[in-house]
Structure formats: C-alpha cells, structure tokens
C-alpha cells in the first residue's frame, strides 16, 4: 500500500514539476510570477484533444501541443510582459492573472464548458509486483518527465546558451553589457517552459481522461506552492519540490485518509516551509 | 592626439525635469586613456549608461570607429566593441571566476554555435586563464566569483571586459572601494591594457586617481562639460577648482 502510494506520488509529482518548471524559468530571468502559465498548460491539453482524437497518435498530439504552446508563450512575453518590464512586480502579476482568466473563458467559449475526454491508450506494458502496480501510461509519464528534465539540465549546464542563461538570471543588464541578447534568453525561457507545460497538459488530460476549461486552476496554485517550496527560480529545487508535493499528497491519503482534502496539502506544506526556511529548499537569500 | 576613434557629439539626456547631460561632446583618440571627472551627480555614470545603450540619448550622436552607436540596444553596442565595468562591481556572483570571463567571448544566446562544444571550449578556457593571469587572478579560476575579495572582483571585471576584445573600454570609478595600494596597482594595470591596443574612457570621482592615469581629462559639472585638457592644465583650471570646492566663500578663501 505504501509502496504503491509512493509510486503514485512520483507520477503525480513529475507532473507538478513539469507544470511548475515554466514558472521557475520565467521567474528566474524576469522575477515575474507568470500565473497565466497554467492557461498555457490547458491550451496544451486542448491541442492534445484536437490532434489525438482524429489521428490517434499520442506523439503527434504532444509535439503539436508543444509547438502551439511555445508560440503562445512567446506571444505572451512579447505582448503582455515585455511592454511592462521595469514596472513594479504587481503590474505584470495583475496582467498575468487577467490573462489567465481570459484564457479560461476563451476555452469555455471556443471548446464549450463541458469535459472533453482524452482516452489515451499506450502500447507500453505496465509494471506489476505484489507491492506495486504501475500502468504503461504512468511509466510513460515518469519516463517523459525524466527525459525532459535531463534535456533541460544538459541545456543549462552543457551549453553556452545555458551559461548565458544563468548569467542573465543573475543580472540581465550586466549580461546585456557583455553582448548577450537577453531578449532572446527570456524568449527561450518562455518557449521551453511553455512547451514543457504543454506536454504536461496532454499527459494530465490523458491520465484523468478529461480536459475542461478550468483544469488549470488547481495546477496554477499548486505550481506557485512548488516554486516557493523549491526556492524561487531554482530548477533542481522545483523538481525536488514537485516530487515532494506529489509524495506528500499521496502519502497523507494513506496515513491521514481523506479527512484532509488532498488539494489543501500544497498549502500546508507551503506554510510549514515558509515558517522553517522562507527561501525554499534550494533558494538563496537575495 | 592620435586619430579620433570615439566621438560623443552634443549628447543630451533628461530624466523628467532633470537634465543629466547637456550637449556633452567628447573626442577620444585611438589608444588614449581619457578620464571624465566631476563631483557627485555631475552625470558621469549617466554618460556611461547612454554610451553603452542602457539609456537612449534624447539628442546627439555617438560613434565608435565611424559606426553609430546611439539608438542601438546594449548587447549590440557590446558586440560592436564597447566593454564596461561598473561603479559597484556587477559580477555573475554565483558563477565561477572562469565562467565570468568565458561569457565575455560571446556565442551566448541564439547563436547555434552555443549549442555545440559544451559551455566552454578548451581554447576558450586557455584564453580565459591567460586573461586571468594578466590581472593577477591565475589561481582563482575555479572559485565562485562572489567569494572574491573586493579588489579581486574589480580585477575580474576587467578580465571579463577584456575577454570581449573591446575597441573601447569604459571603466566606471575603477578605483572606488580600493585601498591606496590596490588603486595604484589597478592604475598600472589600466596602463598595460592601453598598451595592448584598447582605448579607455574612465569616469572618476577621485580627481587624483584620474590625474595619475589619464592622458587627457574632461570635467563634467551638472551635466555640462566645463573643461577639457591635459591633467596638469585641468588641475590649475580655476573653473574646475570652483566646481570641486564649491562656489562663494569657500572658493574665495582658497583663491
């Protein structure tokens, strides 16, 4: 039972980490809370529905969602955030919340208010022992998350782009003074973060077999909890915090039962973290 | 003066009602060390921010080797050969000393060359170590930049700027926060950089540091250039003395 819940927690936690990564990347370079990122996640799920139902190809659905969402992320940066760079952080925050609400209603108008199903089937075999059972789809989620994280790690640690990116996250103006086109670096953060959220959107839609306009609301606040928990702007911190939240949620189901609503745990963990170490797991005091 | 390589022509910059620079004109010769001095608030750092593209000039033009710089973005200006240091050091403190220098070599953003050959190529590491040795930081390459002593941070900023292979090096109060001994060493280092073929413009609050290192000096006061000439001439200029020591009774006492 416990082993099974740990396995479930890892699957859930991988999805949290993927959704929160976009927030971390954007916060890392711009110090902006990109709340509308959850709207991009939902967009990914809808593109997944639109592509998967007629074609039956999960790969095609994921790639299309990633492409569409990258573009959406880039457009958001260019037209929502870039015009207000240098304003107090409250300004982009309000814009972001507004954009998120707009997106939810846009999906409701265009796609209808009802739940769409995304009945993903996958050929990969599951995994089953006496203690734990994982479906092929769950394994796929964990493998895809691990692959994306490895790719991101390579990009940040193994390329000059990544070095320039880390420099920009520390000081945009100085990075620019050394010939780094920071506009491009920020754009790359939006593209990569949005593409990863799109993949998560399709995977979550398929996991629960449902896609609906407000499916981003709960991930939106959980992602906020995850990035605070991980230490604002820290990529490894985000991954650890995502997994920790997934595990905390599933394990409390075992030990505490449904007495405590699962979605409240993110905040409990968040409050505890803020009391003990306000800078987050891997955050630095700034 | 050798042939002019860097020109600031009638540059004006205002912030709301405050005019930080009023029609400032400078002509700097190739491989010259040119100091801009002036009291606090004279517009020295604003001048650097306008040259390096942090601010756009309201009026006026800026040319480096005949190429216009005014109106370009900061990273374009940097790539055209303008490197700078800051009044309060602005290193990438969480990166290593070596990586700070390596970033000066470019191929940093969308450049596809940035995706191959790793974050730092062997030849780049080699060259970065040479630059670090030139500023006396040979043994610190692997340290995190933020852990360096302040004087060493200043040297690292210089090495990082030199990694960009600049035509023009802008130094914003390079000796601020240094001991007298460290300031002298840095002045010697700046002269060595000049000999390697770079043109240096530095702003200094401390007149005596500027006088010691510069070939020519311009004086800013309230955003206007009030004097220009050799260090010796500037030191004797009554207008300059007045700007520094204040007008009215204090100035009269001195006179």
């Amino acid at each position: 039972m416990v082993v099974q819940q740990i396995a479930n927690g890892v699957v859930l936690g991988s999805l949290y980490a993927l959704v929160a990564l976009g927030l971390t990347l954007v916060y890392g370079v711009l110090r902006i809370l990109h709340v509308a990122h959850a709207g991009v996640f939902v967009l990914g799920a809808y593109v997944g529905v639109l592509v998967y139902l007629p074609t039956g190809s999960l790969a095609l659905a994921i790639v299309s969602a990633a492409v569409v969402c990258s573009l959406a992320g880039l457009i958001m940066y260019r037209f929502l955030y870039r015009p207000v760079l240098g304003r107090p952080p409250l300004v982009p925050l309000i814009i972001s919340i507004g954009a998120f609400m707009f997106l939810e209603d846009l999906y409701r108008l265009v796609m209808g208010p009802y739940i769409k199903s995304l009945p993903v089937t996958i050929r990969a075999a599951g995994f089953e022992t006496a203690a734990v059972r994982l479906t092929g789809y769950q394994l796929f989620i964990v493998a895809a998350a691990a692959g994306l994280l490895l790719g991101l790690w390579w990009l940040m640690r193994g390329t000059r782009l990544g070095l320039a990116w880390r420099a920009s996250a520390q000081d945009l103006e100085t990075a620019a003074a050394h010939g780094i086109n920071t506009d491009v670096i920020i754009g790359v953060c939006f593209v990569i973060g949005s593409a990863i959220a799109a993949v998560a959107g399709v995977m979550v839609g398929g996991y629960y077999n449902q896609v609906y306009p407000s499916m981003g609301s709960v991930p939106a606040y959980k992602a906020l909890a995850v990035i605070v928990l991980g230490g604002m702007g820290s990529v490894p911190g985000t991954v650890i915090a995502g997994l920790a939240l997934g595990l905390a949620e599933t394990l409390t189901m075992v030990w505490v039962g449904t007495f405590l609503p699962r979605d409240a745990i993110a905040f409990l963990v968040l409050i505890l973290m803020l009391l003990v170490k306000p800078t987050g797991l891997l955050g630095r005091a700034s | 003066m050798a042939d002019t390589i860097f020109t600031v022509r009638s540059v004006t910059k205002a912030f709301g009602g405050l005019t930080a620079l009023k029609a400032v004109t400078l002509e700097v010769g190739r491989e010259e060390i040119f100091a801009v001095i002036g009291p606090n608030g004279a517009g020295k750092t604003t001048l650097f921010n306008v040259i390096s593209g942090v601010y756009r000039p309201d009026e006026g033009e800026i040319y480096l080797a005949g190429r216009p710089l005014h109106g370009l973005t900061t990273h374009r200006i940097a790539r055209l050969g303008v490197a700078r240091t800051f009044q309060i050091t602005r290193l990438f403190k969480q990166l290593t000393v070596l990586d700070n220098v390596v970033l000066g070599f470019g191929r940093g953003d969308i450049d596809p060359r940035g995706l191959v050959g790793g974050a730092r190529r062997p030849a780049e590491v080699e060259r970065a170590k040479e630059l670090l040795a030139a500023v006396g930081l040979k043994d610190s390459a692997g340290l995190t930049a933020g852990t360096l002593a302040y004087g060493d941070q200043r040297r690292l900023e210089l090495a990082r700027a030199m990694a960009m292979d600049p035509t023009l090096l802008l130094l914003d109060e390079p000796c601020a926060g240094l001991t007298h001994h460290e300031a002298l060493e840095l002045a010697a280092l700046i002269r060595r950089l000049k000999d390697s073929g770079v043109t240096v413009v530095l702003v200094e609050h401390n007149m005596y540091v500027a006088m010691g290192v510069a070939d020519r000096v311009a004086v800013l006061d309230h955003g206007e250039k009030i004097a220009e000439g050799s260090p010796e001439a500037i030191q004797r200029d009554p207008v300059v003395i007045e700007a520094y020591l204040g007008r009215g009774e204090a100035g009269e006492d001195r006179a």
Side-chain angles (χ1 to χ4, degrees):
Chain A
M1 181 68 169
V2 172
V3 180
Q4 178 66 51
Q5 288 307 324
I6 289 176
N8 290 348
V10 170
V11 174
L12 197 58
S14 311
L15 292 170
Y16 289 155
L18 291 186
V19 177
L21 267 176
L23 283 183
T24 295
L25 294 177
V26 170
Y27 187 84
V29 288
L30 288 185
R31 306 289 185 274
I32 283 177
L33 278 179
H34 177 32
V35 178
H37 185 61
V40 175
F41 160 83
V42 183
L43 178 64
Y46 273 116
V47 174
V49 169
L50 292 175
V51 175
Y52 186 77
L53 291 184
T55 65
S57 163
L58 184 58
L60 192 62
I62 286 179
V63 171
S64 323
V67 170
V68 171
C69 288
S70 300
L71 214 60
L74 211 52
I75 289 171
M76 281 190 188
Y77 165 55
R78 180 65 187 76
F79 295 103
L80 293 184
Y81 298 124
R82 208 172 80 164
V84 298
L85 290 183
R87 301 280 188 87
L90 208 54
V91 175
L93 180 63
I94 290 169
I95 288 176
S96 194
I97 294 171
F100 182 42
M101 291 161 78
F102 169 81
L103 284 174
E104 274 195 4
D105 281 321
L106 184 70
Y107 302 144
R108 202 165 279 131
L109 277 173
V110 176
M111 301 298 295
Y114 305 111
I115 292 174
K116 304 252 175 215
S117 65
L118 180 54
V120 173
T121 51
I122 191 162
R123 275 194 296 275
F127 173 84
E128 188 160 3
T129 67
V132 60
R133 177 176 175 278
L134 282 170
T135 65
Y137 192 62
Q138 284 177 313
L139 287 177
F140 166 73
I141 289 175
V142 175
L148 286 172
L149 292 175
L150 276 177
L152 189 62
W153 180 80
W154 167 77
L155 204 60
M156 295 196 82
R157 293 282 156 178
T159 69
R160 178 62 64 77
L161 174 70
L163 191 58
W165 184 349
R166 284 185 284 145
S168 305
Q170 288 174 41
D171 188 338
L172 277 178
E173 200 183 297
T174 306
H178 291 83
I180 296 169
N181 187 342
T182 50
D183 216 26
V184 167
I185 300 277
I186 298 167
V188 167
C189 286
F190 273 88
V191 164
I192 292 177
S194 302
I196 293 176
V199 177
V202 177
M203 292 198 302
V204 168
Y207 193 46
Y208 297 109
N209 191 17
Q210 44 183 277
V211 174
Y212 50 98
S214 62
M215 71 183 279
S217 307
V218 172
Y221 76 69
K222 282 191 186 167
L224 286 180
V226 166
I227 65 166
V228 175
L229 196 59
M232 309 291 284
S234 159
V235 170
T238 303
V239 175
I240 295 169
L243 289 172
L245 181 61
L247 287 169
E249 286 187 358
T250 50
L251 289 177
T252 33
M253 300 283 274
V254 182
W255 288 318
V256 187
T258 48
F259 165 71
L260 189 67
R262 195 182 85 175
D263 290 342
I265 290 166
F267 283 117
L268 263 186
V269 175
L270 182 64
I271 291 166
L272 282 177
M273 190 72 210
L274 289 175
L275 287 173
V276 177
K277 189 169 181 290
T279 51
L281 290 170
L282 298 186
R284 292 183 181 86
S286 58
Chain B
M1 188 176 84
D3 55 328
T4 300
I5 190 158
F6 177 61
T7 310
V8 173
R9 189 176 300 149
S10 309
V11 163
T12 295
K13 177 70 195 172
F15 299 97
L18 176 80
T19 307
L21 295 172
K22 276 181 223 159
V24 172
T25 293
L26 304 171
E27 296 214 329
V28 181
R30 191 179 292 276
E31 293 176 36
E32 190 175 29
I33 299 183
F34 190 94
V36 179
I37 65 170
N40 278 330
K44 304 185 299 282
T45 296
T46 303
L47 177 66
F48 269 20
N49 282 335
V50 168
I51 295 171
S52 59
V54 177
Y55 305 137
R56 274 165 191 248
D58 296 333
E59 281 167 44
E61 294 157 349
I62 301 167
Y63 295 93
L64 178 66
R67 275 218 194 91
L69 300 184
H70 47 276
L72 299 182
T73 55
T74 305
H75 75 272
R76 288 288 319 278
I77 291 173
R79 286 183 188 176
L80 287 174
V82 179
R84 74 175 293 190
T85 67
F86 296 85
Q87 192 171 339
I88 296 162
T89 56
R90 288 175 73 166
L91 295 166
F92 303 116
K93 289 190 178 172
Q94 290 156 29
L95 301 183
T96 63
V97 169
L98 185 78
D99 281 349
N100 267 275
V101 179
V102 164
L103 277 165
F105 294 139
R107 72 176 186 100
D109 36 60
I110 205 67
D111 190 340
R113 289 173 301 160
L115 291 176
V116 292
R120 40 196 100 65
R121 294 176 179 161
E124 291 173 332
V125 172
E126 204 61 29
R127 175 84 187 112
K129 285 187 171 163
E130 284 171 26
L131 286 164
L132 283 173
V135 299
L137 288 174
K138 188 171 53 149
D139 300 324
S140 308
L143 299 178
T144 304
T147 63
L148 293 182
Y150 197 69
D152 289 347
Q153 294 197 14
R154 287 251 174 240
R155 292 157 181 278
L156 176 53
E157 261 200 338
L158 268 182
R160 182 177 64 179
M162 289 309 289
M164 296 167 67
D165 194 16
T167 309
L168 176 68
L169 183 58
L170 304 174
L171 307 177
D172 194 349
E173 303 210 10
C175 296
L178 299 187
T179 64
H180 182 64
H181 177 70
E182 286 174 326
L184 287 180
E185 278 186 356
L186 201 74
L189 183 58
I190 293 168
R191 276 192 292 267
R192 285 205 298 278
L193 294 180
K194 169 199 167 170
D195 294 337
S196 73
V198 65
T199 301
V200 180
V201 174
L202 60 96
V203 302
E204 237 337 309
H205 175 63
N206 184 330
M207 203 151 121
Y208 299 97
V209 170
M211 296 298 175
V213 70
D215 300 315
R216 277 191 313 134
V217 179
V219 186
L220 284 188
D221 187 30
H222 297 297
E224 277 181 285
K225 188 170 81 173
I226 56 170
E228 184 179 325
S230 71
E232 297 76 26
I234 290 294
Q235 267 167 320
R236 289 192 302 270
D237 191 326
V239 179
V240 176
I241 292 166
E242 189 182 273
Y244 261 85
L245 297 179
R247 294 161 182 91
E249 287 169 21
E252 282 160 19
D253 284 349
R254 194 176 170 86

